[in-house]
Amino acid sequence: MSLDGAPTPPGGAQSVHANGHINGGGQQNGVVAAPPPHVTHRLRLNPSSDHKPDNYEDLELDFSPLVFSSLERYLPPNLLLQTREMKVKYMREILLRYYPESERVRAHTIHCNREFTNTVYKQLQKHREYRQKIISNYQRLHRELYTMHAANFFLPSFLKAINENTEQGFKNIMSEPCPGVFTFEMLQPRFCEMLLAEVENFEKWVHETKFRIMRPNTMNKYGAVLDDFGMETMLDKLMEDFIRPMSKVFFAEVGGSTLDAHHGFVLEYGMDRDVDLGFHVDDSEVTLNVCLGKQFSGGELFFRGVRCEKHVNTETQSEEIFDYSHVPGHAVLHRGRHRHGARATTSGNRINLLLWCRSSVFRELRKYQKDFSSWCTECQREKRERQRQSVAATKLELLRREGQTAT
């Protein structure tokens, strides 16, 4: 629980100092803590592509049914033909390692897996009760926002690319001004206006009822978690049907094709709100960031290179420096591990919609990897340096042998 009585947020960001160093005072939610030593539940490195997962929609589960269906393809072969209950039990033990962050850290000091599981389950229960209390009492302003209406939400150009579902189709609407950072026009002005009004209405209800809500993460004092007041299903569709197809193409190496969970929220910036946002990485595999409006100046995003947990503190290279200016309705899509921050909003108010998309498969598998040269630029540099040294050593050995032969 937070100090004001609201449940501890399930997601956060790793803050990083300007010189690249992680801020030890904040929640380290971007880093997955190692499981207790006795936990043996593991997934396969490669999915069973011909296996059709079970449907878990009718079960009372701690996590989204979509997560279980996604994980099932990665289960050991001997489990694939077991009952749903057996598979759920196995996958649940894996998933409990990732929620919430405060309990993941505590897992290092807990020796009884049953105690750890019960503690996390209680946290999940508290969060469900908190969310249900909001949904039962908050009166929605625009009910059409709570279910997916693609034609009313998105621009025709974006919908055309999604329907084509090809790499070229996505590239036709996208710009990549910096490696791994994609920008494109996405939302209709009317949708932005309705969502802004809905958030304002929710904040008004919070103020009038003095209801204690949890903010989107540990770095922001303003903003709202959209999932908590009823938009979870709509945002799940946004991730599954619109963001995952693009991520499968552009972010496959960080679980883009297996995105199965999200954290959806809005952030508010201005002189009477959060002014800026420090240098950090997100607790996501892929992040969607869309400016909703209103009138503002400043607030540019600055990107400083993609890093794995091991290299998150390393120096920024000149070619990794990129600044982006927000435009209402325009989206930015990037890896969660792409270090970034937001400069000060110097006038007006800026409100952004963010969707942190996560892959439970990727989070499980990355614990067994040490080299992330497929996406971490520092891992890439180290790999190139090892190759250079190897080539240099080989050349030196050949020269030595040639010298001996000549002698």
Side-chain angles (χ1 to χ4, degrees), residues 120-189:
V120 176
Y121 183 74
K122 289 176 182 176
Q123 287 285 342
L124 288 166
Q125 280 289 100
K126 287 180 181 177
H127 188 253
R128 276 200 295 268
E129 291 167 4
Y130 161 81
R131 182 173 287 184
Q132 189 56 50
K133 191 172 182 180
I134 295 176
I135 293 173
S136 299
N137 291 280
Y138 171 64
Q139 297 298 311
R140 298 172 180 179
L141 181 64
H142 294 294
R143 293 187 175 276
E144 58 266 45
L145 290 174
Y146 292 79
T147 52
M148 176 57 69
H149 298 288
N152 297 331
F153 291 2
F154 306 119
L155 292 171
S157 58
F158 177 73
L159 286 177
K160 182 174 183 291
I162 292 296
N163 290 331
E164 289 179 5
N165 196 20
T166 64
E167 182 174 353
Q168 188 56 52
F170 295 137
K171 286 183 175 179
N172 288 341
I173 65 166
M174 286 178 159
S175 297
E176 190 178 6
C178 169
V181 177
F182 298 91
T183 65
F184 50 96
E185 296 181 55
M186 181 180 181
L187 298 179
Q188 292 200 23

Side-chain angles (χ1 to χ4, degrees), residues 1-10 126-127 129-135 137-138 198-218 220-230 263-268 273:
M1 299 288 282
S2 63
L3 293 178
D4 64 359
T8 305
K126 287 180 181 177
H127 188 253
E129 291 167 4
Y130 161 81
R131 182 173 287 184
Q132 189 56 50
K133 191 172 182 180
I134 295 176
I135 293 173
N137 291 280
Y138 171 64
E198 190 72 44
V199 171
E200 187 175 324
N201 188 59
F202 177 68
E203 292 282 5
K204 180 182 177 183
W205 174 81
V206 169
H207 178 74
E208 290 175 349
T209 61
K210 295 181 171 55
F211 191 89
R212 296 173 179 174
I213 65 167
M214 64 178 182
R215 295 302 177 180
N217 58 63
T218 56
N220 291 90
K221 296 178 181 178
Y222 295 89
V225 180
L226 299 178
D227 299 310
D228 286 345
F229 60 93
H263 177 47
F265 54 96
V266 292
L267 295 179
E268 302 179 47
R273 291 288 187 266

Side-chain angles (χ1 to χ4, degrees), residues 339-383:
R339 303 183 300 181
H340 62 285
R343 302 195 187 284
T345 298
T346 52
S347 67
N349 287 284
R350 177 172 66 83
I351 301 178
N352 281 50
L353 163 66
L354 285 102
L355 193 71
W356 286 355
C357 303
R358 297 157 174 164
S359 166
S360 49
V361 170
F362 177 74
R363 292 184 176 215
E364 176 66 13
L365 296 181
R366 76 179 179 184
K367 296 204 305 293
Y368 313 117
Q369 289 183 263
K370 293 184 179 179
D371 176 72
F372 296 98
S373 54
S374 63
W375 55 272
C376 172
T377 49
E378 195 62 29
C379 282
Q380 292 170 9
R381 272 189 283 274
E382 289 185 352
K383 187 174 183 178

Side-chain angles (χ1 to χ4, degrees), residues 202-345:
F202 177 68
E203 292 282 5
K204 180 182 177 183
W205 174 81
V206 169
H207 178 74
E208 290 175 349
T209 61
K210 295 181 171 55
F211 191 89
R212 296 173 179 174
I213 65 167
M214 64 178 182
R215 295 302 177 180
N217 58 63
T218 56
M219 298 179 69
N220 291 90
K221 296 178 181 178
Y222 295 89
V225 180
L226 299 178
D227 299 310
D228 286 345
F229 60 93
M231 292 191 184
E232 182 178 23
T233 301
M234 185 274 284
L235 294 176
D236 227 16
K237 293 291 289 181
L238 172 59
M239 179 197 69
E240 186 177 356
D241 296 344
F242 300 91
I243 305 307
R244 192 162 65 185
M246 293 189 291
S247 299
K248 183 178 181 179
V249 173
F250 300 110
F251 303 119
E253 73 286 349
V254 292
S257 61
T258 56
L259 300 177
D260 54 19
H262 76 265
H263 177 47
F265 54 96
V266 292
L267 295 179
E268 302 179 47
Y269 294 93
M271 301 310 292
D272 58 342
R273 291 288 187 266
D274 290 315
V275 177
D276 55 16
L277 184 60
F279 193 33
H280 67 284
V281 295
D282 296 338
D283 181 15
S284 69
E285 273 60 77
V286 177
T287 292
L288 173 74
N289 187 338
V290 196
C291 181
L292 300 176
K294 307 174 181 178
Q295 296 294 320
F296 62 90
S297 57
E300 299 86 356
L301 278 179
F302 59 93
F303 291 91
R304 298 296 184 264
V306 184
R307 297 291 190 275
C308 63
E309 286 91 338
K310 177 184 175 183
H311 295 121
V312 71
N313 292 327
T314 54
E315 295 297 321
T316 299
Q317 305 300 313
S318 59
E319 66 272 15
E320 296 176 321
I321 297 174
F322 171 65
D323 288 14
Y324 169 79
S325 297
H326 288 288
V327 178
H330 288 221
V332 184
L333 194 69
H334 62 86
R335 294 174 185 84
R337 300 296 309 184
H338 205 139
R339 303 183 300 181
H340 62 285
R343 302 195 187 284
T345 298

